[in-house]
Amino acid sequence: ESGFFYKEGGYVITCKRVLLGKKGEVLPVRVTLENGESFRAKVIGISKESDIVAVKIEHRGHELLPIGNRENLKPGFALKLFGFAGNDKNIADIIPCTVLSPMEKWKDQPTSRLALDASQEYRGGPIVDGRGLVMGIFLSSKTGSARSLEAGAINTFLKQF
């Protein structure tokens, strides 16, 4: 599973399914950085509406990714998914993708449909435009088509903190 820093002080966003057990209980969470450093994470917020969670770790000096604006998403818009491949290795990867449909409801969440084929290890990873703005969070992929939680839902969730 992947995620990204959105705020100074070790604040990370990822998918909530990363930390929920089969009965909906919150499981212990660790954040492992690209360099292999691992930190225990404190859950600071879980969305009731969308598959998103915010956690905090004790770490400084990380790159922040600002959240973009959903109005900038149009069909054909080129994006990139950032994530970590492989459960046994923490290997950073970038996968190009294209917006197919910028706003569609999927599992009662506001999502974008993307031309993208990525494994579930990327779930929670940021989908970023050419300016470095997060336009979504990777949720799921099925044979060439993927879903990302759109930027408006991310911004709405973060206003709670």
Side-chain angles (χ1 to χ4, degrees):
E1 309 288 339
S2 295
F4 63 96
F5 290 102
Y6 72 94
K7 182 177 162 185
E8 297 265 349
Y11 292 89
V12 177
I13 293 176
T14 190
C15 289
K16 71 180 173 187
R17 70 182 87 178
V18 169
L19 60 93
L20 294 181
K22 292 180 182 177
K23 297 177 184 172
E25 73 278 15
V26 177
L27 302 172
V29 178
R30 294 197 69 80
V31 172
T32 303
L33 304 181
E34 184 177 354
N35 65 7
E37 284 184 274
S38 184
F39 300 87
R40 187 179 336 198
K42 177 183 177 187
V43 176
I44 59 169
I46 301 173
S47 173
K48 292 180 179 145
E49 294 82 33
S50 303
D51 186 6
I52 186 172
V53 63
V55 300
K56 183 179 184 325
I57 64 171
E58 294 301 321
H59 178 68
R60 302 274 186 255
H62 43 269
E63 183 178 344
L64 303 178
L65 290 176
I67 313 300
N69 188 327
R70 71 172 152 216
E71 282 78 32
N72 294 334
L73 282 182
K74 307 279 186 252
F77 195 69
L79 301 168
K80 293 179 181 173
L81 167 62
F82 290 80
F84 292 97
N87 289 329
D88 58 337
K89 296 181 182 148
N90 214 19
I91 302 169
D93 200 8
I94 301 170
I95 303 173
C97 56
T98 305
V99 176
L100 296 174
S101 178
M103 281 295 295
E104 286 186 4
K105 281 280 192 190
W106 178 74
K107 295 189 177 184
D108 293 324
Q109 301 180 87
T111 66
S112 299
R113 192 165 50 90
L114 308 171
L116 169 67
D117 204 0
S119 68
Q120 298 306 332
E121 285 89 14
Y122 293 91
R123 192 180 302 142
I127 296 179
V128 180
D129 70 8
R131 299 169 297 165
L133 299 174
V134 175
M135 303 306 289
I137 297 172
F138 176 65
L139 297 175
S140 182
S141 177
K142 234 184 205 180
T143 317
S145 181
R147 296 289 178 165
S148 69
L149 183 65
E150 59 89 21
I154 301 166
N155 280 318
T156 299
F157 171 70
L158 293 178
K159 285 179 184 175
Q160 301 172 40
F161 310 105

